[in-house]
């Protein structure tokens, strides 16, 4: 039986990158709200995180679990 059918999560780093970027984005806004970083720093950092998400999607490797689905 395939481990994906049993509800096991994929161990590919590809699936963990978007949640990591979302956490970083939230952390930037939290630090801004707490006054630990300036509004100017926030306005520079959050677009960089969005760009990194896009680059990761474009240049990310083919996921092992996607190959298993095709076969």
């Amino acid at each position: 039986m395939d481990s994906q059918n049993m509800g096991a999560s994929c161990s590919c780093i590809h699936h963990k990158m978007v949640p990591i970027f979302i956490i970083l984005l939230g952390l930037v806004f939290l630090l801004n709200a707490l006054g630990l970083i300036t509004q100017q720093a926030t306005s520079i950092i959050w677009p960089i995180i969005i760009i990194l998400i896009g680059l990761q999607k474009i240049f990310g490797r083919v996921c092992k679990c996607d190959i298993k689905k095709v076969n």
Side-chain angles (χ1 to χ4, degrees):
M1 186 172 250
D2 189 4
S3 64
Q4 287 181 336
N5 293 337
M6 294 172 32
S9 63
C10 179
S11 63
C12 300
I13 188 70
H14 166 77
H15 292 144
K16 296 176 183 160
M17 292 307 292
V18 172
I20 289 171
F21 286 132
I22 292 171
I23 291 168
L24 287 175
L25 187 62
L27 184 61
V28 167
F29 286 114
L30 177 63
L31 292 174
N32 183 6
L34 293 172
L36 298 175
I37 60 174
T38 65
Q39 181 67 32
Q40 184 179 5
T42 302
S43 65
I44 293 171
I45 295 172
W46 79 263
I48 292 172
I49 293 173
I50 300 297
I51 291 167
L52 290 174
I53 291 170
L55 289 173
Q56 190 271 332
K57 286 290 193 182
I58 290 172
F59 296 112
R61 295 183 182 183
V62 175
C63 185
K64 296 174 200 172
C65 60
D66 288 340
I67 294 172
K68 290 177 188 175
K69 291 177 188 176
V70 173
N71 293 334

